[in-house]
Every structure is written in structure tokens, then in C-alpha cells.
Amino acid sequence: MYVADSRAAGTPAPASADGAVRHPAGRRRAAVAPTVLALGTVSLITDVSSEMVTAVLPLYLVAGLGLSPLGFGLLDGVYNGFSAVVRLAGGHLADRGGGRHKWVAGLGYGVSALCKPLLLLAHTLTPIGLVLAADRTGKGLRTAPRDALISLSSPPESRGRAFGVHRAMDTAGALLGPLVAFWILRATVDGYDAVFTVSACVAVVGVLVLVLFVPGGRSETVTAAGRRPTLRAALALLRTRDLRRITVCAVLLGLATVSDSFVYLLLQRRLGVPDRWFALLPLGTAAAFLLLAVGAGRLADRLGRWRVFLAGHVALLGAYGLLLTGWHGTALPYAVLLLHGAFYAATDGVLMAAASDRVPEGLRSTGLAVVQTGQALARFACSLLFGAAWTVWGDRTALLASAVALAVCAAWCSLTLRPAREAAV
């Protein structure tokens, strides 16, 4: 069904080397495809479930179970990076299956939903790590097929906007999730167990919406050469210059991107935020992301996706800089979380839109998985390194090292991409 959406959009507009798409004169932009809206609804519901857990997990592990920053860094790395192990498999299965993107994504959503109640039974490092690894396996299976559906249902000249709309709906769930978790923690005695139970129920609703409302008819997806996708064709994507360049930049920048959970823990320590208010900190990031995602996507379509992508990392560098200062004013958390949300608005969907322009339709899911895998592995490594650095040197020195690394990597990527930007002028 997503193929019909794509064909209805008309002939694709050409994309420049930096990701800016040239709109033919007099042509009216296509509306966001129904597939994008349906997937956005699924992501909204699923993110309510996921962010309920994410909002309380750092405090539950560090304050509730007494894990050290290094132990938390290991689990956080698993939570955010383990999906890299299966993203390529999920992407290839979706392409190889001849248009089964919906069903591979549905399998991933289902696995994650089954993992939520298991958190009620895990109370030590090893079982919690196994549950989180299984949950992230589900995320790894679903992410690339879902993003491929968005890409294939949207014309190139509006892919940035399509991903922006999806990410805005996804972030609406991220905004609601911590609020629900906060309310449950205040209203119940066994707050953490109640959060995990409600999260599991909401996740099941998300899976049902996917099955009932997201189009997913079988289609004969083929490569540019007219053959069904093969593992050899998928591996050959790594030799593609444009995709390799995108992946290298995503990896380098991911190596210096401190996990969200660490950012919130740093804010809590800096400001002395009481434990009961901790679950509300992600709301600032989610609110900024929600407000800016669509605008950032449209700006990327007009000005170039790489420009917006790199600008997002400059915003993240600004957030690190504020955390490193001695400022303790009441505006500090608002400023940090605004910059943090702007970073995600300018990078998350924009990176997928940029990668979609450089991957053939028949291998779209696999190509996006290549980029996502590199970024996820890099962020996994960053969580481990940052947790170790915090344990050995303290939080301030660890953050300073990350800020310097981010500045160096962003400068290198900017110089690397300069020839592409100049060629587009």
C-alpha cells in the first residue's frame, strides 16, 4: 500500500548533494501520506509506553537498586545500543520479504510489548540487562522497516516534512509518557511496579493499532537491477560512497552524544531536583522536540538536510556548555532541555530523510538500517565510556571530554561535507 502512496506522489524531484530538494516550478507539494499518519499514531502510543519506563529507569536503577554510574552506563548502553545487533537483520528481512515492512515492524513492536511486564520480575543487574536487551531487540527489528515505510510513501521533496510529522507524533507520546509515570508514582505505593504494568498495557494497544490501521499489502519490491533484494546486494551498500559518508558522520557524532538519561541525571545533581520530580525532566526535551520537529524537517527540505543536521549538533554542544558552567539559575533546566530537544528535532528524522535519498527503493529498509546500526553502536560505546569516565573522574570532567569530542567530530564532518554543499550552489 505504501507503493501506491509513493506512485501517487508523482515523479520525484531531484535532490542536491547536501540533501536539499529542488521543487519544480508550479508544482504543488503532496500532503503527508496516510501511511505516515497511521505510523505516527502507532509511534505516539508506543512512546507513551516506552517513555514511562525511560523516565523512571535511571532513578529506579541508581537510587532504587543502588547501581553505580558505571553499572548504569552499562545498562543504559544496552538499552540504547543493543538494537544495533538486529537492525540490519530487521531491515534485510523487510526488503527480502517483498514489502513485508509492516509485519517485520509489527514483530518488533510485539517483542517490546512482551518485555514490559518482565521488568516486574527483574531486580538485579543481570536479569534487568537481559530484559532491556530483549526490549531493544524489538526496537531494532521495527525501526528500519517503519522508517522505510515512511520514506517509500513520501516523495523526495517532502521526506523531511514527512519524517518531521512522524517524529512530532512520536514525541507527543514521549511528552505524555513521563506525565503518566509521574502521576502513577505520586498516586500509588508501589510506584515502579505500577508504572511497568501500565506501560505493558499501553504497548499492547500500540501493536493493535499497527495491525488494524497501517497498510501492509505484499508488493514485489525489487532492486534497481530488477532482481529481488539479496544479502550480497545489501552488503554492497557499504561500498556506496554517499551512504558510507552518511554512516561515518553518524557514527563519529554518535560517539560524542551523551545519553539522555545521563543529561537528566546531570541536571538533577546540578539543581538538586527531588526524586519525585525527576520523571518530569524528559518533558522539556519532548516539548521542544514536538514544537520544532515539523519545522526542522521542512527547513531541511528547503536548505539542505546536512546543514540542519549539523546545526542540531551545535545545539547539543550548547546544552553541554550550559551544564559545564557554574550557572545555577532557574532558567538553566529550561535552556538545557530546549537545546536538547532542538538537537533531536534537527537530527533524528532529518538523518533518515538524507539517507533515504541515497538508497535504492528495493533496499530502502536495509540502507536505513546500516546508518541506524552505526549510530546505535556509537551511542552504545558512548554510554559505556561516559559511565566509566563519570565513575573515575567525576561527572564534570566526563561531560567536558564529551563536549570536546563532539566539537571536534562536528568540525570534521562539516569540513568533509563542504565539497557537497559547494557543489549544490
Side-chain angles (χ1 to χ4, degrees):
M1 302 306 179
Y2 59 83
V3 174
D5 286 336
S6 179
R7 288 174 180 172
T11 303
S16 68
D18 70 337
V21 181
R22 311 305 180 204
H23 299 276
R27 180 176 173 183
R28 184 178 180 271
R29 281 184 172 183
V32 174
T35 298
V36 176
L37 298 177
L39 286 168
T41 302
V42 174
S43 293
L44 188 156
I45 296 170
T46 302
D47 240 38
V48 171
S49 170
S50 298
E51 293 303 321
M52 286 175 62
V53 175
T54 302
V56 303
L57 195 62
L59 200 61
Y60 175 66
L61 296 175
V62 176
L65 300 184
L67 290 182
S68 67
L70 178 59
F72 175 71
L74 175 61
L75 281 181
D76 190 66
V78 168
Y79 191 71
N80 290 293
F82 193 84
S83 61
V85 178
V86 293
R87 288 193 189 204
L88 286 174
H92 181 64
L93 283 174
D95 287 333
R96 181 68 176 172
R100 290 177 181 156
H101 298 81
K102 170 185 173 176
W103 303 113
V104 175
L107 176 62
Y109 281 111
V111 169
S112 294
L114 290 174
C115 289
K116 297 298 189 300
L118 295 180
L119 288 171
L120 295 167
L121 308 175
H123 299 289
T124 58
L125 182 63
T126 299
I128 290 175
L130 292 174
V131 172
L132 295 181
D135 178 75
R136 295 300 90 181
T137 297
K139 181 175 177 62
L141 284 173
R142 71 180 184 249
T143 301
R146 181 205 65 198
D147 285 348
L149 278 169
I150 296 171
S151 172
L152 291 168
S153 66
S154 307
E157 68 270 18
S158 63
R159 276 184 190 142
R161 180 174 56 166
F163 276 102
V165 168
H166 174 268
R167 294 319 195 246
M169 297 179 72
D170 181 272
T171 306
L175 192 64
L176 293 172
L179 283 174
V180 176
F182 173 73
W183 179 81
I184 292 174
L185 287 176
R186 288 180 62 88
T188 59
V189 177
D190 298 323
Y192 293 118
D193 288 349
V195 168
F196 299 149
T197 301
V198 175
S199 173
C201 296
V202 175
V204 171
V205 175
V207 175
L208 291 176
V209 173
L210 174 76
V211 172
L212 295 175
F213 297 105
V214 174
R218 181 179 174 85
S219 65
E220 294 299 322
T221 306
V222 296
T223 64
R227 297 186 297 272
R228 293 284 295 277
T230 63
L231 183 59
R232 178 177 297 180
L235 294 176
L237 290 173
L238 296 173
R239 297 194 294 269
T240 305
R241 179 180 178 275
D242 287 340
L243 188 64
R244 186 171 62 247
R245 182 169 61 107
I246 290 172
T247 305
V248 168
C249 287
V251 167
L252 287 176
L253 293 167
L255 284 171
T257 302
V258 175
S259 165
D260 298 357
S261 298
F262 278 123
V263 171
Y264 304 142
L265 285 172
L266 286 165
L267 264 179
Q268 186 202 29
R269 292 199 170 198
R270 174 65 58 85
L271 301 174
V273 177
D275 290 355
R276 66 180 180 276
W277 298 104
F278 182 84
L280 294 180
L281 289 178
L283 292 181
T285 296
F289 193 174
L290 177 62
L291 292 173
L292 299 174
V294 177
R298 296 186 66 176
L299 194 64
D301 288 337
R302 295 183 59 187
L303 301 182
R305 285 155 192 164
W306 282 119
R307 289 188 178 97
V308 175
F309 181 73
L310 292 174
H313 286 85
V314 173
L316 182 62
L317 189 60
Y320 292 172
L322 289 176
L323 287 171
L324 288 168
T325 65
W327 182 34
H328 290 78
T330 56
L332 175 63
Y334 300 101
V336 170
L337 296 175
L338 174 63
L339 290 170
H340 199 225
F343 157 70
Y344 279 112
T347 58
D348 191 7
V350 171
L351 177 62
M352 291 298 96
S356 296
D357 296 335
R358 307 303 175 191
V359 180
E361 182 175 311
L363 291 170
R364 186 64 51 80
S365 185
T366 306
L368 296 184
V370 168
V371 180
Q372 293 166 354
T373 297
Q375 188 179 57
L377 286 173
R379 291 184 175 178
F380 173 81
C382 184
S383 286
L384 294 180
L385 293 173
F386 189 84
W390 186 336
T391 302
V392 176
W393 298 326
D395 56 351
R396 185 179 180 84
T397 303
L399 184 60
L400 178 60
S402 296
V404 171
L406 180 62
V408 171
C409 292
W412 185 87
C413 290
S414 179
L415 292 174
T416 300
L417 297 169
R418 180 173 295 173
R421 292 202 305 268
E422 291 174 349
V425 174

